[in-house]
Amino acid sequence: MGKQQIPLKLTATRFVRAIKLFMTSDVGGRAGFLLASLVILFGGISALNVVNSFVGRHFMTAIAERQTAEFVRQAVLYTGAFAASTIASVIARFAEERLALLWREYLTRRAIGVYMTDGIFYRLGIQGKVSYPDQRIAEDVKAFTTTTLSFLLMLLSSVLTVFTFSSVLWLISPLLFFTAVIYAAFGSFMTIVLGRPLIDLNYNQLDSEAAFRSGLIQVRENAESIMIEGAEQRHADRLLKQFDSLATNFRRIIGINRNVGFFATGYNWMIQIIPVVIIAPAFMRADMEFGVITQSAAAFAMLVGAFSFIVAQFNSISNFATVVARISSFLEAIEDLRGQTDSSLELIEAEGSLGYERLTLTSPTGAPLVKDLSVLVPADTRVIVAGEGDAASTALFRATAGLGASGTGRIVIPPRQHVRFLGQRAYAGPGTLRQILAPPERSIETTDDQILALLRDLGLARDLALSDLDSEQDWSTLLSPREQQLVLLASAIIAVPSYIVLEKADTIFGHELLVAILGFLAERGIACVNFAEPGAPRAAYDAVLEYGPDGSWKWIDQKQKA
């Protein structure tokens, strides 16, 4: 996926807003203390640099004039100034890293909170506008916080350096001061001209790296299927194609870096020569002492370095611009999703029963799947949804679960804590079984023995011990798909919902086990709706919601028939 164009003004607005939100958050006090400490420390470091320049000047003059006593005194001052600078620099680095980590923690928690709310993580994948949102949360947020703070502090240091060393350089030579300003301006302009393509190239490189890494992960996760199918070469070709794209883009980056490097290297070498060329004639005329040459060289380098922020940090700036653009596009996609409303199809939560009101669903081609469905699924009822073909069943399940569907009407479901969905594909994921089965946010008291007994009653053949409940494992690899379904079904039952909604449960559990599960749910007064495969047996259910190939439907009460 190519780079999305993000308006500069919009990106800058979000950048400022991110800083403002952080400083006014619940951790803003700690952040403010660390930031104030950094300002003070950088001010101290800048002052110490000026002191070092004068101490170094007198130190070198003492050597040139063979003044032993003055040499010793300046050496002691030099050592003390360097020691103080070292202490201040180390403490500043520590405070900077702590502040960056604090900011990253805040932004990551906020990003995950937004990403995992209202199905944003799912809808982003369906929308397809944002590539690799996981990378943007994990890596881009880290780069954003660390680099932003680093740039702000470097900018602060540059401003302090300009204020402190401008006067030093002006006292030595006004000509040298103006030379530093003009030279730095020229260097910044040329660096921007030569290196500007890096922003787009770095953006594409991050996506290419993520695509290649994702492909390798997919091969690892599906290694057994690839071996069975003998599809190694096909997947190898796909990986190599992804890597070729990555390498081609990186070659362009290397070429741009070469051009910038030629200029930047020569630019930095000239910084060492220019002040000596300008000041040396005055020393030769005996108009100034020898130490002034070394002081002017150091002051010139410091001042040009401060003015040449773009030259020195251009690679980092181009990477940072890429990160800001990626985070901005991520936030823009989330805001777009939040602003999207489907006025045709409503999914609302309300106390009471699960039901449909004048619901019509259509296929992507516009063909009707369900027409004008109005039915209320009573509590404590076992219902099978079936008919000819499974397109209508799949669409109705997805619409009920809030996964999005095309159509009109209204779906009313109980509050989420009172209804649980179990799709055809289960994912238990990493963690402990206790976290999966009985997370702490649920108020239902369940003992360990009750949890294990429930798993056995549901037909889990694996013999689990009490210690397994708190064993940190990736249960999606240790348990078969059917076992994962049973574990998630147990988790749903422990929550004691009013409804459990299943997708193609006959295929997952088999008819015999499903009949036992339906009886198990009936004993606990839990209603069950199974969106079944065509032709699934119906005898074990209290009612049938049958749909026809033309979208028609009918409700069959099997209790009355019995």
Side-chain angles (χ1 to χ4, degrees):
M1 180 175 294
K3 176 182 176 294
Q4 299 183 42
Q5 297 297 323
I6 306 298
L8 180 61
K9 183 177 180 181
L10 180 62
T11 300
T13 301
R14 288 202 177 103
F15 177 75
V16 173
R17 182 186 173 197
I19 297 176
K20 183 178 179 180
L21 286 174
F22 174 55
M23 296 306 296
T24 57
S25 67
D26 55 348
V27 296
R30 292 165 58 194
F33 172 76
L34 288 171
L35 186 59
S37 300
L38 283 167
V39 171
I40 294 171
L41 286 167
F42 272 82
I45 292 170
S46 183
L48 286 169
N49 286 336
V50 174
V51 171
N52 280 334
S53 76
F54 281 97
V55 172
R57 167 181 171 173
H58 298 312
F59 181 75
M60 297 304 295
T61 298
I63 293 175
E65 297 179 359
R66 297 178 176 84
Q67 298 175 352
T68 304
E70 182 64 14
F71 167 76
V72 172
R73 190 171 75 87
Q74 295 300 327
V76 172
L77 291 174
Y78 224 167
T79 303
F82 276 131
S85 297
T86 300
I87 294 171
S89 297
V90 171
I91 295 175
R93 180 64 179 170
F94 171 78
E96 178 183 345
E97 290 178 347
R98 288 297 298 270
L99 182 56
L101 178 59
L102 185 65
W103 196 4
R104 184 188 179 188
E105 286 178 333
Y106 167 77
L107 280 183
T108 301
R109 293 179 188 279
R110 185 179 177 87
I112 291 176
V114 172
Y115 184 61
M116 299 301 293
T117 301
D118 297 330
I120 293 293
F121 67 97
Y122 171 79
R123 294 158 64 193
L124 274 179
I126 296 297
Q127 187 187 58
K129 289 185 178 179
V130 176
S131 58
Y132 310 104
D134 53 318
Q135 185 189 47
R136 304 190 188 214
I137 294 175
E139 297 181 17
D140 291 349
V141 166
K142 176 186 177 182
F144 173 76
T145 54
T146 303
T147 312
T148 298
L149 186 58
S150 178
F151 282 162
L152 288 175
L153 294 177
M154 282 190 289
L155 186 60
L156 171 64
S157 178
S158 296
V159 170
L160 292 173
T161 299
V162 167
F163 276 111
T164 53
F165 278 92
S166 290
S167 57
V168 173
L169 208 58
W170 183 271
L171 290 174
I172 295 173
S173 170
L175 175 61
L176 196 57
F177 171 78
F178 286 118
T179 301
V181 174
I182 295 170
Y183 189 69
F186 170 74
S188 299
F189 173 76
M190 288 301 300
T191 302
I192 292 173
V193 170
L194 293 172
R196 188 172 182 178
L198 281 176
I199 297 175
D200 286 350
L201 291 173
N202 284 332
Y203 191 106
N204 294 333
Q205 188 67 23
L206 286 174
D207 272 353
S208 297
E209 297 279 2
F212 181 57
R213 184 170 57 252
S214 176
L216 290 171
I217 292 172
Q218 289 171 0
V219 169
R220 185 193 67 196
E221 292 178 342
N222 299 280
E224 183 176 318
S225 298
I226 294 172
M227 282 291 294
I228 292 172
E229 297 167 11
E232 295 96 326
Q233 190 58 48
R234 176 167 63 86
H235 288 280
D237 291 342
R238 180 175 58 85
L239 289 173
L240 289 174
K241 183 178 179 181
Q242 290 174 327
F243 182 76
D244 287 342
S245 175
L246 178 158
T248 300
N249 190 77
F250 197 63
R251 275 192 286 270
R252 296 193 185 105
I253 292 176
I254 292 172
I256 299 297
N257 282 335
R258 176 201 60 206
N259 298 338
V260 174
F262 273 129
F263 176 78
T265 303
Y267 176 89
N268 290 328
W269 277 114
M270 291 299 295
I271 291 175
Q272 303 176 46
I273 299 173
I274 290 174
V276 177
V277 171
I278 295 176
I279 297 300
F283 171 74
M284 293 175 183
R285 295 193 303 267
D287 292 341
M288 62 179 59
E289 58 192 29
F290 177 74
V292 175
I293 296 179
T294 56
Q295 184 187 25
S296 64
F300 185 85
M302 293 288 287
L303 190 61
V304 171
F307 280 127
S308 304
F309 179 79
I310 293 176
V311 178
Q313 301 296 329
F314 188 80
N315 280 334
S316 297
I317 291 172
S318 63
N319 286 322
F320 178 64
T322 297
V323 167
V324 173
R326 286 168 61 83
I327 292 179
S328 291
S329 63
F330 176 64
L331 293 175
E332 184 180 40
I334 289 177
E335 289 171 4
D336 288 345
L337 285 174
R338 283 180 158 181
Q340 287 178 2
T341 57
D342 189 345
S343 58
S344 300
L345 182 61
E346 293 182 83
L347 177 66
I348 62 173
E349 295 182 10
E351 295 291 343
S353 301
L354 171 65
Y356 305 94
E357 300 177 7
R358 303 186 66 82
L359 179 68
T360 295
L361 299 178
T362 57
S363 69
T365 62
L369 298 174
V370 177
K371 292 193 297 186
D372 203 25
L373 173 63
S374 294
V375 70
L376 185 68
V377 180
D380 194 15
T381 304
R382 267 52 57 196
V383 178
I384 182 172
V385 180
E388 297 183 27
D390 61 356
S393 175
T394 299
L396 191 54
F397 174 81
R398 291 175 60 83
T400 308
L403 298 182
S406 177
T408 60
R410 174 183 291 184
I411 302 173
V412 182
I413 64 171
R416 285 290 177 171
Q417 65 268 28
H418 299 311
V419 59
R420 296 294 300 271
F421 293 89
L422 194 62
Q424 189 176 10
R425 295 181 59 185
Y427 176 65
T432 67
L433 277 179
R434 188 185 306 281
Q435 291 170 339
I436 298 170
L437 290 163
E441 63 267 18
R442 294 184 189 159
S443 59
I444 306 300
E445 293 290 338
T446 308
T447 66
D448 293 352
D449 290 334
Q450 288 174 326
I451 292 174
L452 295 177
L454 175 60
L455 290 172
R456 287 192 296 268
D457 291 342
L458 289 175
L460 185 68
R462 188 181 296 264
D463 188 18
L464 296 174
L466 291 175
S467 59
D468 292 321
L469 293 177
D470 295 304
S471 176
E472 186 84 22
Q473 302 285 352
D474 186 354
W475 296 101
S476 61
T477 59
L478 291 178
L479 299 177
S480 68
R482 184 173 181 271
E483 288 175 326
Q484 291 183 64
Q485 291 280 5
L486 289 172
V487 167
L488 294 177
L489 178 61
S491 174
I493 292 172
I494 289 172
V496 194
S498 303
Y499 290 82
I500 291 181
V501 182
L502 306 174
E503 182 185 24
K504 295 180 172 55
D506 296 86
T507 303
I508 297 169
F509 301 119
H511 179 64
E512 184 177 342
L513 177 57
L514 179 58
V515 170
I517 290 173
L518 291 173
F520 194 82
L521 297 177
E523 293 174 3
R524 286 161 173 75
I526 300 175
C528 177
V529 181
N530 178 26
F531 292 81
E533 291 276 10
R538 304 179 179 184
Y541 298 90
D542 301 320
V544 179
L545 176 56
E546 185 177 83
Y547 52 84
D550 59 350
S552 60
W553 61 274
K554 59 182 176 179
W555 177 269
I556 304 171
D557 191 336
Q558 302 206 132
K559 288 182 179 179
Q560 292 182 357
K561 288 175 62 177

